[in-house]
Amino acid sequence: MYSFILTLLFYFIAGLIVFRCVPKQFHLLAWGSLPIIWTSLLALTGLFETLLSLPSIISLLILFCGLSFFVLRKDQNDLRTISFAPPAVTFWILLTFLLGEFLIAIQVHLLVPWGSWDPMFTWVLRARFLVDGGDLWTQGFSNDLALLHPDYPPLFSWALVPLWSLDGSRSALAVACLTIPFFAGWMSILTGWWCLIETRNSLWGYLTVAIILGTPFLVYLHAIKSLDFILSYTILTSLAWYHFAKKEQSRSGWMICGFLVAWAALVKNEGQLWVVSFFGTLMLLQSLHFFKPYRKVNTNSQLSRKSILFASVQGVFIPLSFLIWFKISLAPPNDLFEPQRAFEISQVLQPEVFFNSFSLLVRLDQVEEWERHRLILNNLWNVLSNWKAEGLLLCSVPVLLLFILLLRKKPFPGMHLAIGIQLTGYYLVYLLTPYNPYWHVSSSMNRLLIHIAPAAVCLLGFSLCYSPVDSANSKQNAPEYARFLRLTVLSLPLVCLLFCYSQIRSNTFPWDFQSEPLNREEQLASLEFPPVSHATFVTNQFEPAMLYQMQFAVLPTVLVVDRREKTLIASFPTEEELKTYCQRNGWNLKQNRAGLGWAESITPDGPLPHMDQIRQRNGM
């Protein structure tokens, strides 16, 4: 509960600072970026607690004292003298959508408090290592967890540390407090970018916002607390600030833009590709003289290319430094480059999904296999045709691109090249993947495309808003039928919320949530399982779900399934099967309850029957 109060307090104080100190026309962009600031501050606080043993409560007190002092000392006009214009109909439509989405997110949170498998067994699991691991906290980045992506940057894991230091590491509310505000930030960024367009009242602007908001898959990713939604939000935010910096020729805008681009690299590994795509495109556009402001400004006020690059590099420095430190000091090898450990584990859990254990250089010849290209294109078609999830959003990109090419007077968004580079990178990953290509492509393509689709639609749709028509043709001067049409288009995403709600009620995929059983933790505590660094896990039928659930319960111990450690955790249907297994394979059973128990090794070189079977199957 403390995490909820703390989150509300931060957004209230920070929102007040933005309201008082930021020019009115940039309020939405600034408010929309607050989740990034809050997450960064929390992660820094958690990092201090982990590395320096500085209690999070001290860092948080210093932070809020500083924010309060800044608000109180700032000379501002009395709020009673500020006049507030009545909100337009557009505001009420967007607010209704936001509240409806929050209700769906809360409903999903009540069904699956930790989110889906992806967040629960990746960044949430690593956060529990950081909080409950004690001296063994680095075990959360062990290569023995290779199938759970321990090489992903732990920004959100560390951001949970101070919240859990207040609520306890069993608090799913803290996870919700960290992730749910990102949707409000995402909508604020989207509308803030829209408001920067001088001809924002064009129907193209309304249509662009409606297409993005009306995507059920975006609502789904946010509701399950997926970092794929956070990365999509970050890429959209970085391009919105790019638009602001380019339009206003603002050095601080370029610093913020650079910071946000690099911050994407701290969300997921795919964000690191976005850093390359964005800055590669930025340097190319400047060298080709495509870099011109959207509106005429005094030549003396334009920033030089050197100033722009220097300001961007200043913004990149802090997040990029953290990423380099993590990759050098903590991160295990990425499974795309060195998949050997992931291959060894998958031979026990999912032998059908891992095909190639060789390093990346050895797998380069996979790009010549036409079957892989055909598989990627077939799955792309399946994703595009899935109109109930993300198909409409993805199909709108080529349609809007076609309109820009046909209406040659519209300015082509050069930063779309960065989207193309990002797509090319994803395509190459699919070609070079060590996993079963069908499994890899079918299980992730829609999530990868959603990283960049909202940003691509904004670049194209908002570009179509520009026209030679004088801006005096505004909403106030527009015919009533035109205003009605715009508001009708903007209201269509409300149907998306009704659709999502109906999917939850009917338990339709992917909204067919099944809560993960977390009673293993209490069972192991009653068995007085010792906190060891590694333990062998054995069961009668290996499945990823059972291993991951047990791993979530047994931390800071890392469970291994392919080698014999000094300690064993075993789960069998009956107590008799458990005792028989231990007697036959050299384990001294210490404690058990029914078929779940732990034991110590009597013979260090004793057998692991399931590994012997795998070796025989592979002819080893």
Side-chain angles (χ1 to χ4, degrees):
M1 190 62 183
Y2 292 108
S3 60
F4 178 71
I5 297 173
L6 200 68
T7 301
L8 288 180
L9 186 61
F10 170 81
Y11 282 108
F12 173 76
I13 297 177
L16 185 60
I17 291 175
V18 169
F19 180 79
R20 291 184 169 185
C21 304
V22 176
K24 182 179 180 180
Q25 62 270 33
F26 309 132
H27 277 173
L28 289 173
L29 284 184
W31 279 327
S33 304
L34 289 182
I36 291 178
I37 298 174
W38 180 228
T39 303
S40 302
L41 293 173
L42 287 176
L44 191 62
T45 301
L47 186 65
F48 287 159
E49 178 168 340
T50 303
L51 299 183
L52 305 178
S53 299
L54 178 65
S56 293
I57 188 65
I58 296 178
S59 301
L60 292 173
L61 284 174
I62 295 174
L63 168 64
F64 280 96
C65 287
L67 290 175
S68 302
F69 177 75
F70 182 84
V71 170
L72 294 175
R73 72 179 292 272
K74 194 72 176 177
D75 293 331
Q76 298 293 335
N77 295 326
D78 190 341
L79 289 177
R80 291 174 297 181
T81 65
I82 300 177
S83 60
F84 295 92
V89 178
T90 300
F91 169 82
W92 292 115
I93 294 175
L94 295 175
L95 180 61
T96 302
F97 182 87
L98 178 61
L99 295 177
E101 200 283 337
F102 276 177
L103 290 177
I104 290 177
I106 293 171
Q107 184 177 6
V108 173
H109 175 74
L110 295 176
L111 295 174
V112 279
W114 300 103
S116 68
W117 273 35
D118 183 55
M120 179 179 178
F121 296 128
T122 53
W123 64 274
V124 175
L125 176 66
R126 285 199 301 276
R128 294 200 63 191
F129 273 99
L130 296 174
V131 174
D132 297 333
D135 295 335
L136 297 176
W137 66 268
T138 55
Q139 291 287 92
F141 308 103
S142 170
N143 204 24
D144 290 318
L145 300 173
L147 294 183
L148 299 179
H149 304 295
D151 62 302
Y152 274 17
L155 173 73
F156 278 78
S157 301
W158 255 307
L160 270 181
V161 171
L163 298 180
W164 274 352
S165 67
L166 299 175
D167 286 0
S169 61
R170 310 302 182 271
S171 172
L173 177 62
V175 182
C177 290
L178 182 63
T179 57
I180 286 182
F182 273 90
F183 197 89
W186 180 72
M187 282 194 63
S188 183
I189 290 294
L190 179 62
T191 53
W193 189 353
W194 183 22
C195 289
L196 288 177
I197 308 298
E198 292 180 357
T199 52
R200 69 183 71 93
N201 295 316
S202 166
L203 181 61
W204 288 111
Y206 285 81
L207 185 62
T208 299
V209 174
I211 290 174
I212 297 174
L213 294 182
T215 305
F217 194 57
L218 278 169
V219 178
Y220 169 79
L221 289 177
H222 173 255
I224 64 171
K225 307 174 180 69
S226 173
L227 292 186
D228 292 295
F229 175 84
I230 307 296
L231 181 57
S232 177
Y233 153 84
T234 307
I235 292 176
L236 179 72
T237 304
S238 65
L239 288 179
W241 280 100
Y242 162 82
H243 178 97
F244 163 79
K246 184 178 178 182
K247 177 182 178 182
E248 301 296 327
Q249 292 294 296
S250 167
R251 183 175 282 102
S252 60
W254 284 112
M255 289 180 61
I256 296 173
C257 177
F259 175 84
L260 293 171
V261 171
W263 200 83
L266 300 179
V267 178
K268 295 191 72 176
N269 282 346
E270 292 88 339
Q272 296 159 32
L273 177 60
W274 177 243
V275 176
V276 177
S277 303
F278 180 89
F279 283 104
T281 301
L282 180 62
M283 290 186 287
L284 180 62
L285 291 180
Q286 291 195 72
S287 64
L288 294 178
H289 303 284
F290 284 171
F291 203 79
K292 297 179 181 179
Y294 288 137
R295 60 185 177 84
K296 294 181 180 181
V297 295
N298 191 331
T299 304
N300 296 329
S301 67
Q302 295 188 34
L303 297 176
S304 65
R305 299 176 186 176
K306 183 178 179 181
S307 298
I308 291 173
L309 289 177
F310 181 70
S312 301
V313 169
Q314 284 180 302
V316 165
F317 180 76
I318 293 179
L320 196 60
S321 299
F322 177 82
L323 178 66
I324 293 173
W325 167 78
F326 167 71
K327 291 295 185 180
I328 292 176
S329 61
L330 291 174
N334 181 272
D335 56 1
L336 178 65
F337 298 97
E338 293 294 339
Q340 182 62 37
R341 188 65 188 119
F343 174 78
E344 294 169 353
I345 300 172
S346 69
Q347 290 301 291
V348 180
L349 297 177
Q350 295 172 292
E352 70 280 0
V353 305
F354 215 111
F355 274 18
N356 197 330
S357 63
F358 298 108
S359 64
L360 179 63
L361 292 177
V362 180
R363 302 196 312 272
L364 289 177
D365 59 350
Q366 291 180 179
V367 300
E368 301 175 1
E369 299 177 13
W370 165 246
E371 184 63 24
R372 290 179 179 267
H373 294 272
R374 186 187 66 81
L375 180 65
I376 295 171
L377 296 177
N378 285 344
N379 275 274
L380 176 61
W381 172 254
N382 293 336
V383 172
L384 292 177
S385 59
N386 187 10
W387 62 271
K388 291 183 178 180
E390 65 284 326
L392 179 62
L393 175 68
L394 299 177
C395 289
S396 65
V397 175
V399 172
L400 292 174
L401 181 60
L402 179 63
F403 271 102
I404 285 185
L405 295 177
L406 293 176
L407 305 173
R408 298 184 178 181
K409 293 182 179 181
K410 308 293 182 181
F412 187 83
M415 193 49 71
H416 227 74
L417 178 61
I419 303 293
I421 296 174
Q422 190 83 359
L423 275 176
T424 303
Y426 290 162
Y427 192 86
L428 290 175
V429 168
Y430 283 141
L431 290 176
L432 299 173
T433 178
Y435 294 93
N436 179 327
Y438 176 79
W439 175 84
H440 193 179
V441 173
S442 62
S443 63
S444 63
M445 177 174 282
N446 55 351
R447 292 185 291 108
L448 293 186
L449 292 177
I450 216 70
H451 293 168
I452 53 179
V457 171
C458 282
L459 284 171
L460 294 171
F462 291 154
S463 179
L464 284 168
C465 290
Y466 289 96
S467 67
V469 180
D470 187 78
S471 60
N473 185 18
S474 62
K475 182 164 56 176
Q476 287 74 16
N477 298 326
E480 281 297 323
Y481 74 87
R483 296 174 59 187
F484 177 78
L485 177 61
R486 292 165 183 164
L487 295 177
T488 302
V489 169
L490 192 62
S491 302
L492 291 178
L494 297 175
V495 179
C496 166
L497 297 181
L498 297 176
F499 172 78
C500 293
Y501 178 74
S502 67
Q503 296 286 287
I504 296 174
R505 296 285 294 178
S506 60
N507 205 33
T508 305
F509 180 83
W511 299 89
D512 51 339
F513 301 109
Q514 296 180 357
S515 182
E516 296 294 338
L518 300 178
N519 57 342
R520 299 286 189 182
E521 193 166 359
E522 289 76 12
Q523 295 174 0
L524 288 172
S526 66
L527 298 178
E528 299 179 356
F529 178 74
V532 296
S533 61
H534 289 80
T536 301
F537 177 69
V538 172
T539 183
N540 63 313
Q541 186 175 358
F542 285 96
E543 294 180 351
M546 179 172 288
L547 173 64
Y548 299 158
Q549 291 165 9
M550 191 66 72
Q551 180 61 75
F552 197 82
V554 78
L555 60 85
T557 301
V558 172
L559 298 180
V560 295
V561 294
D562 61 335
R563 70 172 184 263
R564 188 178 178 111
E565 295 288 341
K566 295 180 180 180
T567 307
L568 169 74
I569 295 180
S571 178
F572 288 89
T574 65
E575 182 177 6
E576 185 64 27
E577 291 179 83
L578 171 64
K579 291 182 177 180
T580 301
Y581 180 88
C582 291
Q583 290 172 0
R584 290 179 178 178
N585 298 287
W587 296 99
N588 179 22
L589 184 62
K590 291 296 184 179
Q591 292 196 47
N592 73 287
R593 176 172 294 180
L596 177 66
W598 67 277
E600 292 182 346
S601 178
I602 300 174
T603 55
D605 297 327
L608 280 178
H610 67 277
M611 290 305 300
D612 295 336
Q613 295 173 7
I614 291 174
R615 294 188 186 98
Q616 292 177 4
R617 184 184 66 202
N618 295 336
M620 299 175 61

